[in-house]
Amino acid sequence: MHMDFGRKLSYWAFLGSFLVLLGGFILFQGKFLAARPWLDISSLLLPFGIYVMAHMLRAVRLSLLLGGPRFRTLLVLYFYVSACSALIPFKLGELVRISEIVGWLNDFWRGLLIVWIERLFDSVAQGIMILLQIAFFGQDPLAVRQLIVVIGAFAFISILFFLVLPEQLYNLNLHIIRSYKGRKAIRLLRIVDSIYEVSQRMRPLLAGKLVSLTLLTGSIWLLELLALASLFNSDPGQQALLSLTGQFTALMSSAPSVTFPASSLTLAFDAMKMEALGGVGLLLGLTLYRRLRLRGLAERPFASGKPFWSVSSQHRRME
């Protein structure tokens, strides 16, 4: 199959992501073997089933943002990028997630914003869970300060870029026109215009979907909590909240300040779901996803038809 340079680069990016996923899966085997003595399939079957339901809802949420691709294509894409996000160290899997979604869409900004929206909704849900924990279960705010700072900063940047900044760009345009002349003014105006166009691309992605995305995100995290709560006999709600908060904090610190329930059963459950997700991701990467990726490079099943770096519309004429 003939591919231009951009498509070849995209396919090589997929091959690179697969190799990194394989490396992450191999590194994880040490943790899986350590938890294997406590793997009790009969005890973990119910929480694992709930966990799978949460992933299915995440796939539905992604489908809503992508614009309704074929169900099989959606599931194959979702489980591959989710495996990369979960197993590639240092959260570098998020870059793979962006790269693969951009590769399918052939639209860099749309792909980046879709992942941004997913993470923004998840961050708000995590922030609500932390507030509930502080308000009702006596969680020390200082113990989760890192998490609060990261979530707050991400929400602040999102509000600033997508709500506040677009309203101020008109004044910035006037300042550039009054302060600069010639080509420099034109270059600056084009940069400002590009920023405006990118910030406005969020609106079409959320138009008519805000309630659905909110309900889906709420349901996803309720299922995540329910899966963890089913592992505890006493105070399941509080223990599940503590477990999730501890996991979030552990992602950002090698020595998390939150003491969370880490029983042999919860460790075994975490190992089981990561092993399953990684195994599915690798299997799909070797079979269905690889074939769909090659075919998708030619067909672009839900692409915008524009160069991947372009913004949504042509620049306004600047004189």
Side-chain angles (χ1 to χ4, degrees), residues 3-308:
M3 292 189 289
D4 59 27
F5 175 76
R7 290 175 176 176
K8 286 181 179 179
L9 183 63
S10 180
Y11 186 66
W12 278 108
F14 155 67
L15 291 179
S17 72
F18 178 81
L19 292 176
V20 176
L21 173 60
L22 178 60
F25 186 74
I26 292 172
L27 289 175
F28 178 73
Q29 294 312 299
K31 293 182 179 179
F32 179 72
L33 292 175
R36 192 171 180 178
W38 294 281
L39 280 176
D40 182 358
I41 301 300
S42 60
S43 300
L44 296 176
L45 196 58
L46 175 61
F48 185 76
I50 298 172
Y51 173 75
V52 172
M53 290 172 59
H55 269 291
M56 296 302 291
L57 288 184
R58 287 183 183 275
V60 172
R61 186 177 66 177
L62 180 60
S63 173
L64 196 63
L65 292 168
L66 287 172
R70 291 179 58 186
F71 189 65
R72 189 183 75 161
T73 301
L74 167 72
L75 287 182
V76 171
L77 168 65
Y78 171 77
F79 279 105
Y80 179 77
V81 297
S82 294
C84 291
S85 295
L87 284 169
I88 296 177
F90 310 114
K91 297 303 289 179
L92 295 178
E94 291 299 293
L95 298 179
V96 174
R97 189 182 192 91
I98 294 170
S99 172
E100 290 303 306
I101 292 176
V102 167
W104 280 104
L105 296 171
N106 195 32
D107 187 330
F108 175 79
W109 295 113
R110 186 181 169 202
L112 176 63
L113 291 176
I114 283 174
V115 177
W116 192 314
I117 290 170
E118 286 184 306
R119 294 303 171 244
L120 180 60
F121 274 81
D122 286 337
S123 295
V124 171
Q126 291 164 10
I128 291 172
M129 286 188 287
I130 292 172
L131 292 177
L132 289 174
Q133 197 170 317
I134 293 172
F136 297 105
F137 300 118
Q139 173 67 57
D140 181 7
L142 292 177
V144 289
R145 61 186 180 277
Q146 283 182 305
L147 203 53
I148 293 173
V149 168
V150 171
I151 292 174
F154 184 48
F156 175 76
I157 291 171
S158 300
I159 292 171
L160 183 67
F161 188 79
F162 295 108
L163 296 179
V164 178
L165 184 62
E167 296 177 357
Q168 304 303 317
L169 290 180
Y170 176 75
N171 294 329
L172 183 58
N173 274 337
L174 289 179
H175 173 73
I176 292 172
I177 291 171
R178 291 168 180 168
S179 304
Y180 300 94
K181 303 294 183 181
R183 292 183 178 180
K184 186 175 182 179
I186 293 174
R187 285 197 301 269
L188 291 173
L189 288 171
R190 284 177 176 170
I191 292 171
V192 171
D193 190 57
S194 296
I195 294 172
Y196 176 81
E197 293 289 351
V198 172
S199 68
Q200 292 304 295
R201 297 197 66 176
M202 180 73 85
R203 298 178 185 273
L205 287 172
L206 294 176
K209 304 171 186 176
L210 193 58
V211 174
S212 298
L213 291 171
T214 302
L215 291 175
L216 281 169
T217 302
S219 300
I220 287 165
W221 287 103
L222 282 174
L223 288 173
E224 294 270 6
L225 285 171
L226 184 59
L228 282 172
S230 65
L231 298 172
F232 299 99
N233 294 321
S234 61
D235 299 323
Q238 180 180 0
Q239 299 296 318
L241 276 172
L242 284 170
S243 294
L244 276 180
T245 304
Q247 290 172 23
F248 301 151
T249 307
L251 290 174
M252 295 180 291
S253 173
S254 58
S257 56
V258 177
T259 301
F260 64 97
S263 67
S264 57
L265 198 58
T266 58
L267 291 174
F269 174 59
D270 187 60
M272 179 180 176
K273 66 184 186 182
M274 293 284 283
E275 184 78 4
L277 189 58
V280 169
L282 286 173
L283 182 62
L284 291 174
L286 284 171
T287 56
L288 288 174
Y289 188 72
R290 183 181 62 84
R291 290 199 295 269
L292 285 172
R293 195 71 162 81
L294 274 171
R295 192 176 68 191
L297 288 169
E299 298 177 1
R300 300 293 186 187
F302 33 92
S304 64
K306 301 176 182 179
F308 78 93

